[in-house]
Amino acid sequence: MESAIISGDIIASTSLNEVDREKIGEYLKTLSKELGDKFNVYSRTTEGDDSIVCYVPNIPDALRVMLAIKCYIKAIPVSINNSNQQENSRLKFFKLHGIRLALGIGELSSLDVQKGIFDGEAIYYAGRLLSESKTYNKGKIIIKNTLFLKTNDPEFDVEIMPLLALLDVMLSKCTSKQCEVLYLKLMGNDENVIAEMLNKSQPTINEHSTQAGWNAIEKAVTRFEEKVRLKQSVS
């Protein structure tokens, strides 16, 4: 039976100051709980709380979860006050992209959520995609894409990858406030509820949502869900 695994690593995490690194660790714990409550996702953080791996039991949810992670991380406030110009330059990549994420869909040979064990095709796909596109330990960071996909169906990949590329560009242009609103929308909240949560007016929330391209994001997520369900129905 196929499963979905999302692997991610924070961009330029080593350039964050100690306070911000600890902050991101706490944010990841909160994110893991919220994804678990909403989508029954199991998450674990690794490598000093700058990486995350998620098991998504309902594959149609995978893109929504992936984008929610992206938006959540981009909304985290961090400081750019380091006197080192190179470090400041690297931190700008965090603010622009936040995290690199790879979605792998395939078989899992081992799965034990209680022990945090999962292994197999899906996690191999996701892990390999991130390894092939690493940006750290380079004198100059070069980031072309931050959203990746690999399944055992090349035709599915060919259709979905352009969606990811477009979403990647859209989200890179979003402010932290817009990403905060997008995250809450991806988690299923309507604008009135989000307005109460953020102590803002509904028109303000709608403005953030519209400027961030929510309608296009929602259509992309819906298309992904439809394609996955079609794929599952013929498997």
Side-chain angles (χ1 to χ4, degrees):
M1 183 176 178
E2 286 190 331
S3 298
I5 296 288
I6 298 171
S7 292
D9 58 43
I10 304 294
I11 291 173
S13 61
T14 58
S15 298
L16 298 169
N17 62 45
E18 184 176 348
V19 172
D20 284 336
R21 282 198 298 269
E22 292 180 359
K23 180 193 298 182
I24 284 179
E26 293 302 313
Y27 270 78
L28 284 176
K29 291 176 184 176
T30 300
L31 173 64
S32 295
K33 183 180 185 306
E34 292 182 0
L35 291 176
D37 291 343
K38 179 65 179 179
F39 299 106
N40 200 29
V41 167
Y42 170 79
S43 306
R44 71 184 186 205
T45 57
T46 58
E47 298 182 14
D49 286 337
D50 63 359
S51 298
I52 187 169
V53 179
C54 301
Y55 162 65
V56 186
N58 184 41
I59 298 176
D61 290 336
L63 180 57
R64 185 178 297 274
V65 171
M66 190 182 196
L67 298 180
I69 296 171
K70 180 78 165 177
C71 292
Y72 186 92
I73 298 300
K74 270 191 56 100
I76 298 175
V78 298
S79 305
I80 297 186
N81 55 10
N82 195 308
S83 58
N84 186 312
Q85 186 174 358
Q86 184 178 6
E87 293 299 296
N88 274 341
S89 178
R90 290 172 66 89
L91 280 173
K92 290 178 182 178
F93 284 98
F94 172 84
K95 285 186 168 289
L96 189 65
H97 301 291
I99 189 170
R100 297 181 314 126
L101 293 161
L103 169 60
I105 300 176
E107 301 293 331
L108 283 183
S109 56
S110 299
L111 176 62
D112 189 329
V113 171
Q114 297 301 319
K115 295 182 179 179
I117 298 172
F118 31 85
D119 193 16
E121 191 176 49
I123 196 166
Y124 171 73
Y125 285 158
R128 185 176 67 180
L129 286 170
L130 286 188
S131 295
E132 291 174 347
S133 59
K134 282 191 179 298
T135 59
Y136 61 76
N137 292 329
K138 292 183 179 180
K140 181 179 180 181
I141 295 180
I142 300 174
I143 298 176
K144 296 181 179 179
N145 305 96
T146 64
L147 299 177
F148 308 94
L149 168 75
K150 172 68 176 175
T151 76
N152 54 16
D153 183 346
E155 291 185 6
F156 180 86
D157 295 358
V158 166
E159 178 163 351
I160 298 301
M161 277 306 300
L163 281 181
L164 292 188
L166 290 171
L167 291 168
D168 211 346
V169 172
M170 288 176 60
L171 294 180
S172 72
K173 299 179 184 299
C174 290
T175 66
S176 60
K177 291 295 184 184
Q178 289 169 348
C179 285
E180 186 176 30
V181 171
L182 290 178
Y183 169 74
L184 293 172
K185 283 203 149 191
L186 287 162
M187 295 295 283
N189 300 289
D190 67 30
E191 291 185 353
N192 290 318
V193 171
I194 295 172
E196 291 183 9
M197 294 171 72
L198 301 183
N199 195 27
K200 303 288 184 181
S201 68
Q202 185 275 329
T204 297
I205 299 303
N206 181 261
E207 182 180 1
H208 283 319
S209 173
T210 301
Q211 290 178 347
W214 169 251
N215 288 340
I217 292 170
E218 188 175 35
K219 288 178 181 178
V221 169
T222 299
R223 179 59 176 165
F224 176 84
E225 292 169 346
E226 292 171 348
K227 290 297 294 182
V228 170
R229 292 191 176 102
L230 178 62
K231 183 173 181 291
Q232 290 175 326
S233 69
V234 299
S235 297

